[in-house]
């Protein structure tokens, strides 16, 4: 376990290369003309290429370092996310009766939409662990958009953990990095709508449509995939 007084910047930078499923460009780094092939340069207007080339070496170095730090943070947060989900599962296994207050005291499940907290039992958590592991594996094998609502929520939990680490260690990351990463990782996922009404008024609307709890582990569309254990 890393001590909160440690500077983990160099460790995260070293981990950046392990995040092989997302390029630095997908994480928000603007390309530099000198690093493009001739075919890639044809995709940009001359004015845009000139603007990219005008970035000073110092600013370019800073941008690359910040984006590599973000890549390492996502790698690090992936491991923490799964570890804490297993911890949450262990906590649930000791309970005879599950209450929303129990979920509020967990590490990861507490980040899920609170109106469904009474449903976050051990079986749900096991399925969510499998889906979360599949999501984090995509960061290595090549990113694919979440195939179900639970996977989209796992992405949000991953980014929540990354923000916690960022705050603890005061990391120098790209400005507005979360919004940029969500745009890439979540695309058109509607999971954010589940957080729009925490007092329960939105529960009936969610249950009546595709955001209902019973749909969380169902594929969004034909061709989307969900791990068999979670889909069963």
């Amino acid at each position: 376990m890393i001590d909160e007084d440690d500077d983990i910047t160099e460790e995260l930078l070293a981990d950046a290369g392990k995040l092989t499923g997302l390029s630095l460009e997908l994480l928000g780094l603007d390309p530099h003309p000198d690093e493009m092939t001739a075919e890639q340069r044809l995709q940009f207007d001359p004015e845009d290429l000139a603007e990219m080339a005008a970035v000073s070496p110092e600013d370019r170095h800073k941008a690359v370092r910040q984006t590599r730090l973000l890549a390492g943070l996502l790698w690090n947060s992936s491991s923490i996310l799964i570890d804490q989900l297993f911890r949450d599962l262990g906590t649930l296994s000791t309970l005879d009766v599950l209450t929303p207050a129990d979920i509020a005291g967990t590490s990861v499940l507490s980040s899920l939409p609170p109106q469904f907290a009474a449903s976050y039992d051990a079986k749900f958590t096991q399925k969510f662990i499998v889906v979360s592991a599949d999501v984090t594996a995509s960061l290595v094998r090549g990113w694919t958009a979440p195939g179900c609502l639970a996977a989209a929520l796992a992405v949000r939990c991953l980014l929540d953990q990354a923000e916690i680490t960022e705050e603890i260690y005061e990391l120098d990351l790209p400005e507005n990095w979360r919004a940029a990463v969500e745009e890439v990782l979540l695309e058109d996922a509607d999971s954010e709508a589940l957080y729009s009404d925490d007092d329960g008024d939105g529960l009936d609307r969610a249950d009546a449509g595709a955001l209902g709890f019973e749909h969380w582990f169902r594929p969004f569309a034909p061709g989307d995939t969900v791990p068999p254990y979670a889909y069963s």
Side-chain angles (χ1 to χ4, degrees):
M1 183 66 66
I2 300 172
D3 190 279
E4 291 185 10
D5 293 331
D6 291 341
D7 181 359
I8 64 168
T9 297
E10 294 305 319
E11 178 179 338
L12 296 182
L13 288 172
D15 285 340
K18 300 175 183 177
L19 200 83
T20 54
L22 287 172
S23 66
L24 296 184
E25 286 73 24
L26 282 176
L27 291 178
L29 179 67
D30 290 331
H32 192 282
D34 291 345
E35 300 169 358
M36 299 180 190
T37 64
E39 291 77 11
Q40 289 173 328
R41 285 194 291 271
L42 290 174
Q43 300 175 22
F44 296 90
D45 294 330
E47 294 80 4
D48 293 333
L49 289 173
E51 183 177 347
M52 294 174 186
V55 175
S56 69
E58 293 78 10
D59 288 344
R60 178 65 179 174
H61 175 77
K62 178 180 179 181
V64 171
R65 181 180 174 85
Q66 286 179 325
T67 311
R68 290 185 61 240
L69 187 61
L70 175 58
L73 175 62
L74 293 177
W75 171 273
N76 176 271
S77 299
S78 297
S79 179
I80 295 175
L81 173 68
I82 301 302
D83 185 56
Q84 291 188 338
L85 276 169
F86 276 115
R87 186 180 306 169
D88 286 351
L89 180 60
T91 298
L92 296 184
S93 67
T94 66
L95 302 176
D96 294 326
V97 178
L98 178 66
T99 68
D102 295 321
I103 297 302
T106 59
S107 298
V108 177
L109 300 178
S110 58
S111 295
L112 295 175
Q115 64 267 39
F116 299 102
S119 298
Y120 302 154
D121 57 12
K123 182 63 175 179
F124 166 85
T125 305
Q126 290 169 345
K127 289 185 174 184
F128 195 68
I129 288 173
V130 171
V131 166
S132 298
D134 188 53
V135 165
T136 60
S138 286
L139 296 174
V140 179
R141 65 177 177 238
W143 182 254
T144 54
C148 65
L149 194 55
L153 291 170
V155 171
R156 295 190 180 280
C157 290
L158 170 64
L159 299 183
D160 287 345
Q161 177 56 52
E163 284 190 321
I164 291 171
T165 303
E166 175 194 20
E167 182 177 348
I168 290 174
Y169 297 104
E170 299 180 347
L171 300 176
D172 182 21
L173 297 176
E175 186 176 359
N176 299 322
W177 67 266
R178 174 155 185 164
V181 171
E182 282 186 355
E183 186 174 351
V184 172
L185 301 190
L186 292 176
E187 294 185 356
D188 297 326
D190 295 327
S191 54
E192 186 176 2
L194 290 170
Y195 295 92
S196 63
D197 194 336
D198 290 346
D199 61 9
D201 291 341
L203 181 58
D204 291 339
R205 295 195 300 273
D207 278 338
L211 298 182
F213 183 77
E214 68 275 13
H215 298 295
W216 283 18
F217 295 100
R218 295 291 179 263
F220 283 131
D224 288 330
T225 60
V226 178
Y229 181 85
Y231 195 8
S232 62

